[in-house]
Structure formats: structure tokens, C-alpha cells
Amino acid sequence: SQQGEEDPQALSIQEGENATMNCSYKTSINNLQWYRQNSGRGLVHLILIRSNEREKHSGRLRVTLDTSKKSSSLLITASRAADTASYFCATDARGSRLTFGEGTQLTVNP
Amino acid sequence: SQTIHQWPATLVQPVGSPLSLECTVEGTSNPNLYWYRQAAGRGLQLLFYSVGIGQISSEVPQNLSASRPQDRQFILSSKKLLLSDSGFYLCAWSKMGVSNQPQHFGDGTRLSIL
């Protein structure tokens, strides 16, 4: 089964609202990464959080990591229509080989 | 800066035909290289992983093969395509020998088998 599992599978919000996506994983990790994928395109790396970090920010993105619960969350604040995309978490339980979750499809309505 | 090129962007092939997808990376040396497949609305499945020229690890049994004839070139092939080979194929690279590194993706090839 997948190492990372995102929740919810789909999320629809209005522009200006915050979007929160969650990721759970099963085994020990060195880091957890979040990626974004626009429809029909490749994945773009958003943020990497190491296992000894609890929170990380990048612009409107905030990522938290709870290794005791084996979970992470991605918060996008003040969402925009351009944030519409699929978001994936990925874990490095196998070193350089990442294991991706199934993704959350975010739709931001203008 | 580093760039990754993947082509073609779309491909329609008949069942039983051969396949060759190419991926090249520029601006870095000795990258780790990856081939993934993504089914519609799903996550990424790692197909092949390479740490150097001629060094290929296969992650799942399948109808596909990969080769790395040059340091920054990664090729995905098949001798005879199956209907189940349809999907979105993504190539990616990461820095070798450095932990906690992101992967960088090409724009993918949408493969349809008829």
C-alpha cells in the first residue's frame, strides 16, 4: 500500500479561504515533501520538512509534521484560483526513492 | 540552472508496437534519474531508478525497460505495448549522494494505447 495517504481526496473552496490537506504515512522517515501538479503537467516541489522539524513556512504555505502520529499537513492561506491543482505528499522511507500518496485535488473557485 | 526535457508530450500507439520515451537533464552531473507512471487521478508509481550510467533498478515487474546510455539521458522502452501500458509517464531527477533533496520533474508524456 502507499506510504503516504492524503486526505481529503478532493477539496473545493472559495478564493480567499484557507485550504488544509493532510498526509499520513506508515514507516520512519528522514523527510516529507509536498508537491503540486497542475492538470496534465509534471510535479513541482513545494516544500521539504525534515523529521526533526515540526513546522515550516514558505510564502502562503505552512507545513507541519508530527512524527509521533506519522502525519503532516499542508495549509495554503488566502487561496487563489491559480492554486487549483493536485497536491501530493511524498516520503523518503527508501532513501532517494520517494513514495507518493494518492493526492488531494484542490479546486479554488473565483 | 538545471532543466529536464521529456518528449514527446503525447503519443498514441497501437497495441504490440514498440515504445521509446526520452528524458534528458541539463545543468547538473551524475543525477539520480527516475521514471514514474501515473494513472488518471492517482498518485505516482515508481517504475525505474538509476544512480549512474548503465545502472538501472526496476521497481515493479512489467512490460517496460529502461536504459541510461549517457549520464544525463534516461530512456523508457517497450518491445510490444499492451493496453495496460496507457498512462502518464513522468521523468524526474535529483542530486546524487545528497540527502533530503527534492525531485525535479519533466512535463510528462501522455501515452494512449489503441
Side-chain angles (χ1 to χ4, degrees):
Chain A
S1 63
Q2 293 282 359
Q3 164 74 327
E5 295 183 4
E6 286 92 343
D7 156 57
Q9 289 186 336
L11 180 62
S12 182
I13 59 174
Q14 296 300 123
E15 228 172 6
E17 294 180 341
N18 295 341
T20 299
M21 289 159 269
N22 303 297
C23 170
S24 60
Y25 58 93
K26 294 182 172 63
T27 61
S28 297
I29 61 172
N30 293 310
N31 69 70
L32 184 144
Q33 303 180 32
W34 284 92
Y35 289 79
R36 165 197 169 120
Q37 183 181 34
N38 285 17
S39 181
R41 303 296 299 273
L43 278 69
V44 175
H45 179 258
L46 295 176
I47 198 163
L48 181 152
I49 185 165
R50 300 171 191 246
S51 60
N52 61 353
E53 297 175 311
R54 292 295 166 260
E55 189 172 311
K56 203 162 182 180
H57 297 254
S58 176
R60 293 184 296 113
L61 305 181
R62 172 178 169 255
V63 168
T64 61
L65 178 63
D66 187 335
T67 53
S68 67
K69 296 181 179 178
K70 292 186 169 58
S71 67
S72 174
S73 67
L74 170 66
L75 169 67
I76 304 175
T77 60
S79 64
R80 306 165 182 169
D83 294 328
T84 295
S86 292
Y87 293 82
F88 296 89
C89 68
T91 54
D92 72 335
R94 299 187 301 154
S96 298
R97 288 169 286 179
L98 299 178
T99 303
F100 288 81
E102 293 291 299
T104 292
Q105 172 60 52
L106 173 66
T107 302
V108 181
N109 302 298
Chain B
S1 64
Q2 301 93 355
T3 56
I4 179 168
H5 302 281
Q6 198 180 334
W7 67 93
T10 58
L11 190 58
V12 181
Q13 292 284 101
V15 170
S17 64
L19 172 74
S20 180
L21 301 181
E22 190 162 341
C23 171
T24 59
V25 180
E26 296 177 357
T28 189
S29 296
N30 304 315
N32 291 329
L33 295 172
Y34 313 84
W35 277 112
Y36 292 91
R37 178 168 55 207
Q38 185 179 30
R42 303 296 300 275
L44 275 65
Q45 179 187 36
L46 180 62
L47 301 177
F48 298 98
Y49 166 61
S50 173
V51 298
I53 295 173
Q55 300 180 60
I56 311 292
S57 296
S58 175
E59 290 291 305
V60 294
Q62 58 203 306
N63 184 44
L64 302 168
S65 62
S67 62
R68 184 170 177 174
Q70 300 180 46
D71 180 45
R72 291 170 290 172
Q73 183 185 29
F74 207 20
I75 298 171
L76 184 69
S77 304
S78 174
K79 292 181 180 177
K80 281 188 176 183
L81 285 167
L82 306 171
L83 282 174
S84 58
D85 292 323
S86 291
F88 191 49
Y89 289 84
L90 290 157
C91 181
W93 72 272
S94 68
K95 287 184 180 179
M96 180 177 295
V98 182
S99 61
N100 296 316
Q101 289 295 310
Q103 291 185 11
H104 307 276
F105 286 80
D107 271 339
T109 294
R110 176 127 353 248
L111 176 63
S112 299
I113 310 299
L114 303 178

